Amino acid sequence: MGGAVVDDEPSDVKAPDGGWGWAVLAGGFVITGFSYAFPKAVSVFFKELIREFGVGYSDCAWISSILLAMLYGTGPLCSVLVNKFGCRPVMMVGGLFASLGMILASLATSIIHIYLCTGVITGLGLALNFQPSLIMLNRYFSEKRPLANGLSAAGSPVALCCLSPLGQVLQYHYGWRGGFLILGGLLLNCCACGALMRPLVGPKKPQDQELQAVDQAEKKAKPQKKLLDFSVFKDRGFLIYAIAASIMVLGLFVPPVFMVSYAKEMGNEDTKSALLLTILGFVDIFARPTCGLIAGMKWVRPRCVYLFSFAILFNGITDVVSSQATDYPGLVVFCIFFGLSYGMVGALQFEVLMAIVGTKKFSSALGLVLLMEAIAVLVGPPGAGRLLDTTHNYMHVFLLAGCEVILASIVICLGNFLCIKKKPDEPEAHLENGAPAEMEKLNSLPEGGTTESEQPDGVRAGSGKAMEGAEESGGVGNPETAL
């Protein structure tokens, strides 16, 4: 592993916006599906686990919560490994871990064993696949990045539509142990997806021996790349995003985790209850690419952070209103609107982060923001499960989740509008496809990035270094291209 090619993007290589990038997108589609759908799909087995081990809803909710906490909390570790070894080897090892965890969980004799195997080992394996796939997607796409993000994010609902009914069928025919074993085999596909993550290579230029010797000397004198760049915390845009995202995930994942159990509590049969997640996922499939197309529009892309805020608000209001559902048709309506809003959030969350920090710092920024979200993820579903065990009323669970998500939308919207708004005495920069058109402005600036007033609304950083690496990243704040 130490001899792997580190896929740090060369400075003279632009994102191809196609070509092998579509294969990278296909791999990211599968990885995103497993990473986000698995914690929800596992909830199909909760009823059997409760019967097997004599535990409560809150105890089973810890399985999904630990999975998500590992997916988020190991972000800095993933950043360090990717910066040291490259995306491809990290993803292939992660696929082995993900599969091993589910296979070992099929032999569990207590709920603690499932926490360790499914939660920790499988969660770590999925994390080692998820973050590198996003990094590679950001390197291969620039102008088409919003669409690529939307298509990749659509892997989550597609996998949910498949894994939820598949889990129900496996449980019926083979029990939860056989279901875990077969799902562990499916996760080996992560290794194949990792093999698709080919590093970008710069064009070879003919050089004589003297020039080659000079280049080698320059490479040796070049300072070693930071494995984890903490300078992103100097960017006010990043701080606002990280705080809002941490609040959002407190309630974002709660409804899908408890949806199936809620339907079963109403007296619906298991297959009919699991169908709700399929409905949610089906709507989500179309919501994500559509939102990606909208985010890539000329007028919308510089303001995608406000579109992201609207998506979060829409999701929270859906939770609050739908908490009053008392029958199966009401839950179906809830799943339709929740799938729409959830798809919008999924398509925009990493596009906005890419726009704020740029390509060079995206690996570190992603790892750090996922770590901040991990604590909230670890508290959210179990806290909702404890509330359910105390009140025996799902209405309170959905109300709490909705209020937390609404608060997040307020934080990111007001934070960007009040703290990062443009100076009123300077004219708005001319935009072309969501980015400043004049390349001369960049050349006249000090080394480190653009000025505060020239960055697009909503992603303007407090420090000039916030847009470092803008030349490599397409999207908001990229002065070279014509979210």
Side-chain angles (χ1 to χ4, degrees):
M1 194 168 178
V5 177
V6 180
D7 48 353
D8 186 23
E9 184 181 12
S11 58
D12 57 345
V13 177
K14 296 181 181 180
D17 272 313
W20 188 256
W22 298 116
V24 173
L25 175 58
F29 178 88
V30 176
I31 294 299
T32 303
F34 278 130
S35 300
Y36 275 116
F38 222 80
K40 305 180 190 72
V42 169
S43 65
V44 172
F45 297 95
F46 280 3
K47 191 173 182 180
E48 292 298 319
L49 294 176
I50 291 172
R51 185 182 298 114
E52 174 88 11
F53 300 115
V55 294
Y57 285 111
S58 60
D59 298 308
C60 286
W62 274 99
I63 301 173
S64 297
S65 187
I66 294 174
L67 264 170
L68 289 170
M70 290 298 296
L71 182 66
Y72 284 83
T74 55
L77 173 63
C78 295
S79 297
V80 170
L81 292 176
V82 166
N83 289 334
K84 186 171 181 61
F85 300 111
C87 291
R88 180 184 283 173
V90 171
M91 291 181 68
M92 297 183 74
V93 172
L96 295 177
F97 272 99
S99 177
L100 178 64
M102 291 302 294
I103 293 173
L104 293 177
S106 67
L107 307 174
T109 57
S110 71
I111 195 70
I112 301 298
H113 295 162
I114 297 182
Y115 291 163
L116 294 176
C117 297
T118 301
V120 177
I121 299 178
T122 298
L124 175 61
L126 292 175
L128 293 177
N129 276 270
F130 176 62
Q131 186 169 327
S133 69
L134 288 176
I135 294 171
M136 291 301 294
L137 192 68
N138 187 38
R139 290 175 180 173
Y140 268 88
F141 289 92
S142 176
E143 293 183 11
K144 298 179 181 178
R145 195 181 66 205
L147 176 60
N149 272 316
L151 291 173
S152 176
S156 174
V158 170
L160 186 60
C161 287
C162 299
L163 290 178
S164 180
L166 175 63
Q168 199 69 53
V169 171
L170 293 177
Q171 179 180 267
Y172 179 78
H173 289 284
Y174 305 105
W176 69 268
R177 294 183 185 275
F180 276 29
L181 184 63
I182 295 174
L183 291 177
L186 285 177
L187 287 174
L188 285 173
N189 287 288
C190 293
C191 297
C193 295
L196 295 173
M197 303 299 164
R198 186 171 68 190
L200 284 172
V201 180
K204 295 183 179 180
K205 300 178 181 179
Q207 294 179 332
D208 54 27
Q209 293 182 353
E210 294 182 358
L211 291 176
Q212 290 179 355
V214 172
D215 288 342
Q216 290 178 357
E218 290 179 351
K219 290 181 179 178
K220 291 181 180 180
K222 186 178 180 180
Q224 188 176 6
K225 180 183 177 181
K226 294 181 181 179
L227 294 180
L228 197 61
D229 190 353
F230 289 95
S231 66
V232 292
F233 284 108
K234 298 178 181 179
D235 183 351
R236 284 181 292 175
F238 172 78
L239 286 176
I240 293 171
Y241 175 91
I243 294 172
S246 300
I247 299 173
M248 176 187 69
V249 297
L250 278 172
L252 184 65
F253 301 117
V254 169
V257 169
F258 288 92
M259 181 58 59
V260 175
S261 299
Y262 188 16
K264 291 179 180 179
E265 188 74 16
M266 291 181 177
N268 298 291
E269 59 185 25
D270 293 353
T271 306
K272 190 177 180 180
S273 300
L275 182 62
L276 290 172
L277 290 182
T278 304
I279 295 172
L280 188 157
F282 182 78
V283 176
D284 199 355
I285 290 173
F286 297 97
R288 297 192 183 219
T290 302
C291 190
L293 285 172
I294 296 174
M297 296 173 64
K298 181 178 180 180
W299 186 85
V300 178
R301 193 169 187 183
R303 302 165 179 84
C304 61
V305 68
Y306 296 110
L307 180 61
F308 181 48
S309 175
F310 169 76
I312 300 174
L313 180 64
F314 183 18
N315 184 271
I317 293 176
T318 300
D319 291 343
V320 172
V321 173
S322 300
S323 65
Q324 307 302 318
T326 57
D327 52 15
Y328 189 80
L331 292 180
V332 171
V333 173
F334 165 69
C335 287
I336 293 174
F337 283 97
F338 184 87
L340 179 60
S341 59
Y342 189 79
M344 294 175 64
V345 172
L348 293 170
Q349 57 178 340
F350 297 117
E351 169 63 24
V352 171
L353 181 59
M354 290 176 188
I356 293 173
V357 300
T359 300
K360 287 185 177 180
K361 294 186 177 181
F362 179 69
S363 175
S364 297
L366 179 61
L368 293 171
V369 77
L370 291 180
L371 177 62
M372 295 178 66
E373 293 176 359
I375 299 175
V377 170
L378 195 61
V379 172
R386 184 68 63 183
L387 178 63
L388 178 62
D389 290 338
T390 303
T391 62
H392 302 285
N393 193 333
Y394 282 89
M395 180 187 71
H396 299 105
V397 173
F398 286 90
L399 278 175
L400 176 62
C403 291
E404 290 166 344
V405 175
I406 290 174
L407 177 61
S409 70
I410 296 173
V411 170
I412 194 169
C413 182
L414 292 183
N416 278 274
F417 182 75
L418 298 177
C419 300
I420 321 179
K421 63 182 180 181
K422 184 170 54 179
K423 296 178 181 180
D425 57 335
E426 296 186 13
E428 183 177 0
H430 296 289
L431 299 178
E432 182 178 348
N433 288 344
E438 295 87 347
M439 190 62 188
E440 293 78 12
K441 290 185 178 181
L442 180 65
N443 297 329
S444 64
L445 294 173
E447 182 178 0
T450 60
T451 60
E452 179 175 318
S453 63
E454 290 173 339
Q455 297 179 28
D457 295 344
V459 294
R460 206 167 284 107
S463 112
K465 296 183 179 181
M467 295 302 294
E468 184 176 341
E471 293 182 12
E472 287 82 8
S473 70
V476 181
N478 180 6
E480 184 175 295
T481 64
L483 199 252

